[in-house]
Amino acid sequence: MRLLHTSDWHLGHTLYDVSREAEHGAFLEWLLDTLEAQAVDALLVAGDIFDTSNPSAEAQAAWYQFIAKARRRLPRLDVVVIGGNHDSAARLDAPDPLFAALGVKVVGGLPRGERGVDLARLLVPVHDAKGHVAAWVAAVPYLRPSDLPPLREDVGDRLVEGVRAVYSEVLEAARHRRQPGQALVAMGHCYMTGSELSELSERKILGGNQHALPVDLFPEDVAYAALGHLHKAQRVGGREGVRYSGSPLPLSLSEAGYRHQVLLVDLKGEALERVESVAVPRRAEMVRVPARDAAVLDDVVALLEALPALDEAMPEWRRPYLEVCVSLPRPEPSLRQKVEKALEGRAARLVKLTPAYTGTGGALAETGPAMLSLRERTPEDVFRARFARDYEEPPSELLLEAFHTLLTQVQEDAS
């Protein structure tokens, strides 16, 4: 059978207050086309459907519309979804009666009954093209500390071992349900040892990212583990069948260089046959000027003026996101105005202006004679030291004159 693994949609996300609604809509339409074209039997979405636990009405509408369209176009498609750390477990679980009627399995939070974990809700059979059960999915959502069982004090890292205990229980229950020839598949939204974070857009989860989970959480009889949380697609522990699909869209400017993708997973009997990545089309590019480091303002202006011109037919949401990094050896009070003027008629839209200060970066105590106390320094000494922290050039005579005028006013007001 064939699975498609994706995660971390973050519907409702904004980038520097710019809505990503149209980009997400384009991705979801592309995903429907891909599911159909690739003859996918089951869609696995490994958490973070939404960007916040209280998503906008537009984000929720996009989610429900996707499910409705998927069911109309692909009536035999199995859909299995787990909650992530950005999601509200209760919000995802609330429509369960409706989703169950549609044959869609959503597990927002760890379900519990009178006797502990409700294993029946976490074990999902998925079917091949002939309608036969080909695999059992252990659909474990993001686990919060309150979800973990109590453990003895001497077990080591109690958070890690608590997670291990939950997965062990669910996987063991799945083993009892599956028949010979049926694969064992796991889902999780977690942070694994040896994986790479995108620090600007991934929250620390569980007890902090120092509580990384070991790859042996998934024994060798698990044919495939579909993971969410990390936005960079990657294998875990060198294992072909333990993967993060990554986010389909870059969720910060630092993720512009990632290969955003979904994963096609082919199973043959109980074993993994192959994993193939399918690149998600980038609908709105991300541009940095200069491409690396920072440049002085004159050079930056020249680079901006050389950017492609705006095509009036281009929709606003397709215009490239732009970060500009300017090296500042001296103050530039009109920095933004000069950058915006250079961008007139250009396709790129400025979302981040980053000044790179060229001064020493040192504290006051690190400048001038080491033995001088603050009391022994003149106001001009302090001003020059503070200026040198940001700028490599000394203050101009005009700026010093303005400083002394202000200092005189303050001294006269205090007398």
Side-chain angles (χ1 to χ4, degrees):
M1 73 175 305
R2 170 166 284 185
L3 314 173
L4 189 147
H5 168 203
T6 179
S7 72
D8 295 273
W9 294 357
H10 289 267
L11 301 178
H13 179 259
T14 60
L15 184 66
Y16 296 98
D17 297 325
V18 178
S19 171
R20 314 294 296 282
E21 182 180 348
E23 289 173 85
H24 275 121
F27 160 68
L28 293 176
E29 289 296 328
W30 173 87
L31 180 59
L32 287 169
D33 293 340
T34 302
L35 290 166
E36 188 171 22
Q38 296 292 340
V40 172
D41 300 305
L43 169 65
L44 308 182
V45 187
D48 282 354
I49 301 299
F50 299 113
D51 192 55
T52 69
S53 60
N54 187 27
S56 66
E58 292 78 9
Q60 294 179 72
W63 163 234
Y64 293 128
Q65 286 169 5
F66 171 79
I67 293 296
K69 289 179 179 179
R71 187 49 70 231
R72 284 197 298 267
R73 289 179 61 173
L74 303 159
R76 299 181 63 179
L77 176 73
D78 285 319
V79 180
V80 187
V81 181
I82 61 172
N85 61 300
H86 283 248
D87 296 314
S88 162
R91 188 180 295 277
L92 286 184
D93 284 333
D96 183 62
L98 177 59
F99 281 152
L102 294 173
V104 174
K105 188 66 174 183
V106 178
V107 184
L110 188 69
R112 289 192 175 275
E114 294 181 358
R115 299 184 179 181
V117 177
D118 185 355
L119 296 171
R121 284 210 61 217
L122 299 177
L123 303 178
V124 186
V126 290
H127 305 78
D128 61 20
K130 297 179 180 179
H132 302 139
V133 174
W136 282 86
V137 177
V140 180
Y142 167 62
L143 297 174
R144 294 167 172 82
S146 59
D147 294 323
L148 307 183
L151 298 173
R152 301 191 317 272
E153 294 286 348
D154 60 349
V155 297
D157 191 318
R158 299 176 70 188
L159 286 174
V160 172
E161 294 307 315
V163 172
R164 187 193 297 277
V166 172
Y167 273 94
S168 295
E169 182 180 7
V170 179
L171 289 171
E172 186 59 28
R175 292 186 186 100
H176 282 91
R177 296 209 178 190
R178 69 174 177 149
Q179 300 297 314
Q182 296 174 350
L184 181 59
V185 175
M187 294 178 70
H189 191 90
C190 49
Y191 173 49
M192 303 294 292
T193 300
S195 48
E196 294 182 44
L197 280 166
S198 170
E199 293 291 350
L200 295 183
S201 59
E202 288 158 355
R203 296 178 187 168
K204 294 185 181 297
I205 61 174
L206 200 57
N209 285 329
Q210 67 271 24
H211 293 275
L213 303 173
V215 71
D216 65 7
L217 196 72
F218 305 107
E220 292 296 333
D221 66 341
V222 174
Y224 187 77
L227 302 179
H229 176 55
L230 301 190
H231 299 165
K232 184 176 184 178
Q234 54 195 288
R235 298 176 182 84
V236 178
R239 288 184 45 188
E240 185 70 8
V242 183
R243 297 253 196 157
Y244 288 99
S245 64
S247 61
L249 271 64
L251 297 168
S252 75
L253 296 172
S254 67
E255 296 176 9
Y258 289 3
R259 176 182 168 84
H260 293 86
Q261 60 186 40
V262 298
L263 297 173
L264 292 175
V265 181
D266 289 332
L267 303 174
K268 188 172 184 179
E270 300 181 9
L272 175 67
E273 186 172 35
R274 69 168 185 158
V275 180
E276 177 187 353
S277 68
V278 181
V280 177
R282 183 75 62 84
R283 306 292 185 170
E285 293 297 331
M286 290 184 170
V287 179
R288 189 183 190 277
V289 173
R292 297 183 62 184
D293 301 322
V296 296
L297 182 57
D298 288 347
D299 291 345
V300 166
V301 167
L303 291 170
L304 296 177
E305 290 174 343
L307 290 174
L310 175 63
D311 180 355
E312 296 296 338
M314 176 184 288
E316 178 69 18
W317 67 273
R318 293 291 308 274
R319 296 178 63 188
Y321 297 99
L322 174 65
E323 178 184 10
V324 176
C325 301
V326 184
S327 176
L328 294 179
R330 71 188 71 84
E332 289 285 354
S334 58
L335 175 62
R336 176 168 287 276
Q337 291 91 326
K338 291 179 179 179
V339 168
E340 290 177 344
K341 181 174 177 55
L343 285 171
E344 291 178 358
R346 305 295 105 192
R349 48 184 166 169
L350 180 68
V351 295
K352 186 180 182 185
L353 179 56
T354 305
Y357 297 106
T358 60
T360 63
L364 177 62
E366 298 170 359
T367 62
M371 298 303 292
L372 283 181
S373 67
L374 183 60
R375 183 185 298 274
E376 295 172 302
R377 297 175 187 260
T378 67
E380 184 175 323
D381 290 336
V382 176
F383 176 75
R384 285 181 177 274
R386 177 62 182 83
F387 192 89
R389 191 177 77 177
D390 288 347
Y391 306 107
E392 61 181 289
E393 294 185 4
S396 66
E397 290 300 321
L398 187 61
L399 186 59
L400 283 174
E401 182 180 341
F403 168 74
H404 283 293
T405 299
L406 179 62
L407 178 63
T408 300
Q409 290 176 356
V410 170
Q411 290 171 336
E412 289 177 350
D413 291 343
S415 62

